Amino acid sequence: MKSKLYFLSTVLAIFLINLVKDSIDPYYYTILIYIGINIILASSLNLINGFTGQFSLGHAGFMAIGGYLSISMSTYFAPFFANLFGAGVFGENMTFLTVMILGGLAAAAIGLLVGVPSLRLKGDYLAIVTLGFSEIIRVLIQGMDFIGASQGFRGVYQYSNGVKSLQMLDNTQDSFIFYGVPKYTNFFWTFFIAAFIVYFIYNLINSTYGKGFLAVKDDEVAAESMGINTTKFKVIAFVSGAFFAGVAGALYGHFNLYLNPEDFNFLKSVEIVAIVILGGMGSIPGVIIAAVILTILPELLRGISEYRMIVYALLLIIMMLTRPQGIFGTKFKFKRKKKVESA
Amino acid sequence: MSLLKINNVTMKFGGLTSIDALNAEVNDNELVGLIGPNGAGKTTVFNVITSVYKPTLGEVLFQDKSLKNYKTNQIAHLGICRTFQNIRLFKSLSVKDNVRVSFGVRLKAGFFSSVMQLNKFSKEEKEIDNRIDELLELFNLHDVKDEEAISLPYGDQRKVEIVRALATDPKLLLLDEPAAGMNPSEKSDLMKLIRDVKDKFRISILLIEHDMKVVMGICERIYVLEYGKKIAEGLPSEIQNNEKVIEAYLGDTKTHA
């Protein structure tokens, strides 16, 4: 009950901040949005890697599916959505919500397809399979002309004779409208979803049902003997993680207004894994803080841009050596430490 | 009435016969012991019953139902739960949460009502909390319920394993060397506890144990295995005087004399 109250007041605060978003400097605004998106990505990966103990390296792939599906829907079917929901602020947000959910569902469906066979694998093997999957997605997108292939996708020209093209055609006399990717992503949506996923995972992990995920991580044989269908729990974690990655992709696409397959390469997956590891596998607040730090850090280091990656890598190495359990460690140990201090 | 029936079960790993044509049964509300020297195949019997291994030949019947097509996690739903010889507690969870995991078996709340915290979910969680407290109270673990389970002393960890298995509400409890690593006074407490559990929850227990004092003290019937073969069965007093059993444990008296 208490967590519901926290969630609702956070949403209210996000809504209020959203009202003054235009007065935020665009540079800082961009960083803010990226922080939100990274919180979503890292938290959803945390459910798979941190809480359920399955090492997935394919999050960028799910993000790509959600991102590409949602931006192609909101451009190709822009007139359809405008008819359906109307053109005003309400219509825009409804359209966004719809394509976001569709993007998430598509990622979740693919997650199910990939997860059922590959979650039989453990550790490194699962990491390799998911990595391979995410590369397959990227290469497939590079071959899909209707979403821009390796050129990237920024919108579509719709001619009055029904022809749709990514480039402007010079041999036609018909009039056309260019549907660019609409800028739907704003502070509210990004942080509403970030708050929602935190609420979602917090509730799940603290429920009797959700303890099953942790049981699967700790000891599959014992979990299985206590009546937990370990395969089912792994698949649920994987699919819901994929769903939120897809939603994050939709947010990213509708903010950047341009997607390129290279945005979703191997390094993107590694970046998300780095946030989870830095924050602490299975620590909700740790991952949020790590998402903030690792989004801001590259910006702070712009001054020494040649050495940026060195500092970044050094930080990760130092972190591994000094606090292998993450910034906070797991929640359980955190709580215990507090008790000792007060005693 | 027999609750569990092991029907001519043979378990082979390649050329090694771990269990050889074993017949055994456990009746309702009965405490049965399973003993034998190291490597006799006792734990394998547990693994066959819980479907970790599929028997090469024969079948296991539980309440006259063949367990052939059940997976390990479904066995727990049917009402058979076990503890492990080498303790397998969930190491990132507290004592309380270790027990809580087992309530998943009868949980009505699913994924969505857990995430959305619907009213019926909160009510169920509260009931589960109370049940956990009751169980931990019974085993004298109430004071350490928020400790990390693996930080407890060895004997207490064994007890948490038993509580965790009991929490699935089994009809048959399989205890794999529950007294291992306990000192004599802990052992006698445990014996009393096992008997109490059997009477209070009206369940059957199949017990593997090396400590003869424990086995002879509480078991109503005993099966003895050696090299996968059943060499004796009967009342504790009969087993104590059985020549074959003495030979299995102490060696052949004639050749060594």
Side-chain angles (χ1 to χ4, degrees), chain A residues 241-257:
Chain A
F243 175 83
F244 283 107
V247 170
L251 287 164
Y252 182 73
H254 286 95
F255 185 74
N256 256 2
L257 312 187

Side-chain angles (χ1 to χ4, degrees), chain A residues 1 3-4 200 203-204 207-209 211 214-215 218-219 221-222 224-229 236 332 336, chain B residues 72-73 76-77 82 84 88 90-92 94 97 100-101 105 107 111 114-115 117 121 125 146-148:
Chain A
M1 263 350 248
S3 67
K4 209 176 259 179
F200 175 99
N203 282 349
L204 190 62
S207 72
T208 301
Y209 183 87
K211 293 292 174 205
L214 297 160
D218 283 346
D219 194 324
V221 177
E224 194 75 27
S225 294
M226 299 305 132
I228 286 170
N229 187 342
I236 287 177
F332 184 61
R336 265 167 52 104
Chain B
T72 305
N73 69 68
H77 289 258
R82 69 176 291 186
F84 294 90
R88 283 178 173 271
F90 302 124
K91 56 181 180 296
S92 68
S94 65
D97 285 341
R100 187 185 291 276
V101 168
V105 169
L107 197 65
F111 182 74
S114 297
V115 166
Q117 303 214 311
F121 158 84
E125 291 287 288
D146 291 322
E147 299 282 330
E148 239 170 295

Side-chain angles (χ1 to χ4, degrees), chain A residues 120-139:
Chain A
R120 292 159 192 274
L121 303 170
K122 286 190 177 79
D124 314 350
Y125 302 102
L126 179 67
I128 291 165
V129 169
T130 47
L131 168 64
F133 148 77
S134 114
E135 286 296 287
I136 289 171
I137 296 291
R138 186 173 64 83
V139 171

Side-chain angles (χ1 to χ4, degrees), chain A residues 217-292:
Chain A
K217 177 182 78 173
D218 283 346
D219 194 324
E220 284 190 34
V221 177
E224 194 75 27
S225 294
M226 299 305 132
I228 286 170
N229 187 342
T230 50
T231 314
K232 191 178 131 198
F233 272 83
K234 286 188 221 168
V235 170
I236 287 177
F238 201 67
V239 168
S240 36
F243 175 83
F244 283 107
V247 170
L251 287 164
Y252 182 73
H254 286 95
F255 185 74
N256 256 2
L257 312 187
Y258 171 74
L259 284 184
N260 189 299
E262 283 306 314
D263 295 345
F264 306 108
N265 60 13
F266 169 56
L267 286 176
K268 183 74 194 177
S269 291
V270 172
E271 208 177 282
I272 306 166
V273 171
I275 297 176
V276 175
I277 291 175
L278 186 75
M281 299 272 228
S283 160
I284 297 173
V287 163
I288 295 172
I289 289 173
V292 176

Side-chain angles (χ1 to χ4, degrees), chain A residues 302-317:
Chain A
R302 263 184 204 285
I304 47 165
S305 56
E306 302 101 285
Y307 306 109
R308 191 156 71 160
M309 287 326 282
I310 297 177
V311 175
Y312 188 89
L314 265 180
L315 184 89
L316 282 180
I317 292 170

Side-chain angles (χ1 to χ4, degrees), chain A residues 148-169:
Chain A
S150 55
Q151 303 272 302
F153 183 77
R154 59 185 180 89
V156 62
Y157 293 93
Q158 297 202 11
Y159 288 88
S160 53
N161 62 1
V163 173
K164 291 175 184 178
S165 162
L166 294 191
Q167 269 83 44
M168 209 187 292
L169 304 174

